C-alpha cells in the first residue's frame, strides 16, 4: 500500500433513482490502485460510472461498502483532499482570472496577499501572463481550461482528477492542450486520473488505462500503454498501439450494445 | 453616439405625444380638467421652491425609509428562506399570496393605525416594494450553479464559503432586477400614502391642488414624482453596472 497514492478496496456503490428509490448498482466490489506520479485514464461507455469514481474519490459521494485509501491512509472525509478539474471549466464569471485561481487558497484560509502573489507567479508559468485581471468571458476555451487546471493544482493535493477537460475544445486546440498537460504533469510530478471518451486521447496521455465494463462493474479491466516517454502523436500509429486501440474500441462497443 | 441614437426614437415619440396633448388640451380649453403640457411646465417653474424644498424632501424621506426597511427585511427573509427549508415552506406562500391583497384598498387602515405620521406612508411603501426585493433575492440565491457548488465542496468549502463566495454573487443580477422594480414602485407607494393624508409631500400637494381646481398644479408634482422614479432607476442601473462589470454590455 505504501506506493499507491489512491486505492479502492472492494468498493460498492449504488444510486437511488425514481420515486420508489430503486437502487441502481454502479460498482459491485471494484479494486484498483494508482501509483505515485502515474497518469491513469478511465474510459467506458456513458453511464458506466466514470464520473462516479471521481465523486467517490473527491468525497462528494461515499461508498456503500469498501474502503478508499488516499496516500496510504483510509480516509472517510475526503472533501478538500484532492484536486478536481471538471468538464466545463466552471470558472466564476464574476471573478477575474486571478480571483478564480485564488479560490482554493482562499477556502483553505490563506492570507489574501500571500495567496495572490503565489497565483501571480504561477500564472506566468502557465502562459497566462497579462490576463490576471480579465474575466473568464474574455478568454478562449483553451485558456479557460488552463486556469481551471491551475486552480486544481492550487488545491495543493498530489492527486488530480480531470474529468474530460478537453472534450469541448476543437481538435487542434485539444492536441496542444494534451501536450501542454503532459508537460505540466511531468513538471509538477502529480498523480493524474483522467476521464475521457476518446481512446486516442487515453493512449496518448496515459501509463495505464482503466476500462469500465458496464453496469454494474464487478471489476475494472486494466491496460498498460506500450509507449515510453516522451511521446509524440505519431507514436499512436505504431502497430502495437493501433492493435490496442482496436481492442479497446471493440470492448467499449460491445458494452454499449449489451 | 450610438447610445444617443437608441434614445432618439423614444424621445421623439414622447415629443409627438406632447404636441398632440398640447393641441388637444388647448382646443378643449378647460385647463382645470386637462391642462396643456406648457401650462404644467410654467406651473412647475412657478412652484419650484415650494415643491423642491418643502414637498420633495418629505416624499424622498418616505421613499428612503421605506426602501431601507424593505431591503433589510426582504434580504433577511430571503437569506432565512435560503438557509431553512422550514422557513421557506412557512413564508414563501404567504409572501406570494400577500401580493393579491389590494394594498391601496388597505391603505386607509394604516392611517387609522399610524395616524397622519410618516409611518402610515412608509408602511404602504414597504408593502409595495417588499415583494420584488424579497422574491428576487430569494430566487437569485437559489440560482447558484450546482456544479460550482460541488467543485467548491471538493475544495473543502464550508457553508459560509458557499454562501458568501457562490450564492451571494450568483444572486446579484437577480437582486438588481428586483431593486429596479422596487425603486420605481416606491414612488407610487409614497404618493398613495400621501394621498390618504399628510401635511407635506408631492402626493399630498397634488391632491390639495385638485380640490382647488388647479389642473396644472395637480400635474406639476406628478412630473416631479416621475422624475424621482427615473432618477432612482438610473441610480440603481449605475450601481449595477459597477457591481456587475464582469457582465458583457447588453
Amino acid at each position: 500500500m505504501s506506493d499507491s497514492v489512491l486505492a479502492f478496496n472492494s468498493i460498492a456503490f449504488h444510486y437511488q433513482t425514481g420515486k420508489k428509490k430503486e437502487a441502481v448498482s454502479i460498482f459491485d466490489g471494484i479494486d484498483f490502485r494508482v501509483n505515485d506520479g502515474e497518469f491513469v485514464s478511465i474510459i467506458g461507455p456513458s453511464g458506466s460510472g466514470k464520473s462516479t469514481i471521481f465523486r467517490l474519490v473527491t468525497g462528494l459521494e461515499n461508498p456503500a461498502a469498501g474502503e478508499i485509501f488516499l496516500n496510504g491512509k483510509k480516509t472517510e472525509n475526503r472533501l478538500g483532499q484532492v484536486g478536481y478539474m471538471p468538464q466545463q471549466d466552471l470558472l466564476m464569471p464574476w471573478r477575474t482570472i486571478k480571483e478564480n485561481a485564488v479560490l482554493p487558497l482562499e477556502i483553505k484560509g490563506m492570507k489574501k496577499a500571500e495567496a495572490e502573489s503565489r497565483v501571480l507567479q504561477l500564472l506566468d508559468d502557465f502562459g497566462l501572463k497579462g490576463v490576471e485581471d480579465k474575466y473568464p468571458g474574455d478568454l478562449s476555451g483553451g485558456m479557460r481550461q488552463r486556469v481551471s487546471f491551475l486552480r486544481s493544482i492550487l488545491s495543493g493535493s498530489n492527486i488530480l482528477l480531470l474529468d474530460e477537460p478537453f472534450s469541448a475544445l476543437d481538435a487542434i486546440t485539444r492536441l496542444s492542450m494534451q501536450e501542454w498537460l503532459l508537460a505540466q504533469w511531468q513538471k509538477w510530478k502529480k498523480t493524474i486520473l483522467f476521464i475521457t471518451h476518446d481512446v486516442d486521447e487515453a493512449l496518448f496521455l496515459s501509463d495505464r488505462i482503466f476500462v469500465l465494463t458496464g453496469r454494474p462493474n464487478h471489476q475494472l479491466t486494466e491496460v498498460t500503454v506500450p509507449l515510453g516517454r516522451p511521446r509524440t502523436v505519431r507514436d499512436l500509429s505504431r502497430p502495437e498501439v493501433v492493435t490496442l486501440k482496436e481492442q479497446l474500441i471493440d470492448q467499449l462497443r460491445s458494452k454499449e450494445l449489451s | 453616439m450610438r447610445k444617443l441614437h437608441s434614445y432618439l426614437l423614444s424621445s421623439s415619440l414622447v415629443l409627438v405625444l406632447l404636441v398632440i396633448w398640447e393641441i388637444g388640451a388647448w382646443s378643449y380649453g378647460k385647463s382645470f380638467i386637462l391642462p396643456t403640457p406648457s401650462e404644467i411646465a410654467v406651473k412647475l417653474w412657478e412652484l419650484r421652491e415650494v415643491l423642491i424644498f418643502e414637498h420633495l424632501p418629505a416624499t424622498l424621506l418616505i421613499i428612503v425609509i421605506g426602501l431601507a426597511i424593505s431591503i433589510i427585511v426582504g434580504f433577511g427573509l430571503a437569506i432565512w428562506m435560503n438557509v431553512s427549508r422550514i422557513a421557506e415552506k412557512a413564508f414563501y406562500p404567504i409572501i406570494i399570496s400577500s401580493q393579491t391583497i389590494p394594498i391601496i384598498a388597505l391603505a386607509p387602515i394604516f392611517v387609522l393605525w399610524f395616524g397622519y405620521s410618516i409611518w402610515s406612508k412608509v408602511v404602504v411603501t414597504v408593502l409595495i416594494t417588499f415583494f420584488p426585493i424579497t422574491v428576487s433575492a430569494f430566487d437569485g440565491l437559489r440560482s447558484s450553479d450546482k456544479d460550482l457548488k460541488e467543485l467548491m465542496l471538493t475544495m473543502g468549502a464550508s457553508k459560509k464559503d458557499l454562501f458568501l463566495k457562490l450564492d451571494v454573487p450568483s444572486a446579484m443580477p437577480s437582486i438588481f432586477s428586483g431593486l429596479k422594480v422596487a425603486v420605481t414602485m416606491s414612488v407610487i407607494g409614497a404618493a398613495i400614502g400621501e394621498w390618504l393624508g399628510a401635511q407635506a409631500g408631492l402626493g399630498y400637494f397634488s391632491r390639495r391642488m385638485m380640490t382647488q381646481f388647479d389642473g396644472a398644479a395637480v400635474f406639476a408634482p406628478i412630473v416631479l414624482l416621475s422624475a424621482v422614479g427615473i432618477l432612482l432607476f438610473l441610480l440603481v442601473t449605475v450601481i449595477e453596472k459597477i457591481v456587475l462589470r464582469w457582465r458583457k454590455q447588453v
Side-chain angles (χ1 to χ4, degrees), chain A residues 55 58 60 79-82 84 86 88 90 92-95 103-104 106-108 135 137-138 151, chain B residues 145-158 161 165-167 169-170 245-248:
Chain A
R55 295 179 68 83
T58 53
L60 287 172
L79 287 172
Q81 306 271 331
V82 288
Y84 170 56
Q88 294 86 27
L90 289 186
M92 294 174 164
W94 57 85
R95 284 180 170 232
L103 185 66
E106 226 176 88
I107 287 172
K108 292 224 154 56
Y135 288 96
D138 302 326
R151 185 178 56 184
Chain B
D145 190 334
K146 189 175 148 280
D147 293 335
L148 256 174
K149 183 186 163 195
E150 291 194 332
L151 177 70
M152 286 183 70
L153 283 174
T154 70
M155 295 176 184
S158 63
D161 287 328
K165 297 181 204 301
L166 177 63
D167 291 349
S170 305
R245 62 184 172 281
W246 53 272
R247 283 215 297 202
K248 292 276 167 290

Side-chain angles (χ1 to χ4, degrees), chain A residues 164-196:
Chain A
E164 297 193 48
F166 306 143
S167 58
L169 304 176
D170 64 84
I172 303 295
T173 314
R174 189 186 312 171
L175 183 60
S176 60
M177 286 299 290
Q178 287 165 353
E179 287 166 346
W180 178 83
L181 177 64
L182 282 181
Q184 295 298 327
W185 167 62
Q186 265 145 5
K187 181 175 169 189
W188 294 89
K189 310 213 178 318
K190 299 273 182 185
T191 306
I192 292 184
L193 221 63
F194 190 98
I195 289 180
T196 180

Side-chain angles (χ1 to χ4, degrees), chain B residues 4 9 13 17 19 26 47 72 93 100 115 118 134 173 175 179 181 199 204 243 248:
Chain B
L4 215 69
L9 207 63
L13 181 63
L17 288 174
V19 169
W26 181 76
L47 294 171
I72 292 167
T100 59
I118 187 171
T134 312
I175 285 176
L179 277 178
V181 177
Q199 283 97 35
Y204 152 80
V243 174
K248 292 276 167 290

Side-chain angles (χ1 to χ4, degrees), chain B residues 58-232:
Chain B
T59 307
L60 273 181
L61 190 65
I62 295 167
I63 290 174
V64 169
I65 295 176
L67 277 175
I69 292 175
S70 280
I71 288 172
I72 292 167
V73 177
F75 285 180
L77 205 55
I79 291 168
W80 191 14
M81 290 194 298
N82 185 47
V83 178
S84 154
R85 244 355 248 155
I86 297 171
E88 184 198 343
K89 284 205 170 128
F91 291 122
Y92 201 70
I94 298 177
I95 292 169
I96 300 289
S97 50
S98 78
Q99 277 311 290
T100 59
I101 300 170
I103 291 160
I104 297 170
L106 266 187
I109 302 264
F110 302 135
V111 179
L112 210 62
W113 292 348
F114 298 99
Y116 288 116
S117 73
I118 187 171
W119 296 108
S120 55
K121 290 123 219 161
V122 169
V123 167
V124 177
T125 311
V126 169
L127 285 177
I128 286 187
T129 55
F130 172 72
F131 178 76
I133 288 175
T134 312
V135 171
S136 68
F138 177 67
D139 288 348
L141 288 171
R142 272 292 150 91
S143 74
S144 54
D145 190 334
K146 189 175 148 280
D147 293 335
L148 256 174
K149 183 186 163 195
E150 291 194 332
L151 177 70
M152 286 183 70
L153 283 174
T154 70
M155 295 176 184
S158 63
K159 278 200 167 144
K160 187 180 145 211
D161 287 328
L162 289 175
F163 179 71
L164 291 178
K165 297 181 204 301
L166 177 63
D167 291 349
V168 170
S170 305
M172 280 303 166
S174 172
I175 285 176
F176 275 107
S177 305
L179 277 178
K180 281 186 201 165
V181 177
V183 293
T184 41
M185 295 199 356
S186 71
V187 178
I188 301 173
I192 292 171
E194 287 171 354
W195 262 61
L196 296 163
Q199 283 97 35
L202 294 170
Y204 152 80
F205 186 84
S206 173
R207 187 181 161 113
R208 199 180 77 189
M209 289 302 116
M210 200 173 284
T211 59
Q212 299 180 7
F213 290 99
D214 187 343
V218 170
F219 277 93
I222 289 173
V223 172
L224 219 51
L225 274 173
S226 123
V228 168
I230 292 170
L231 282 176
L232 283 172

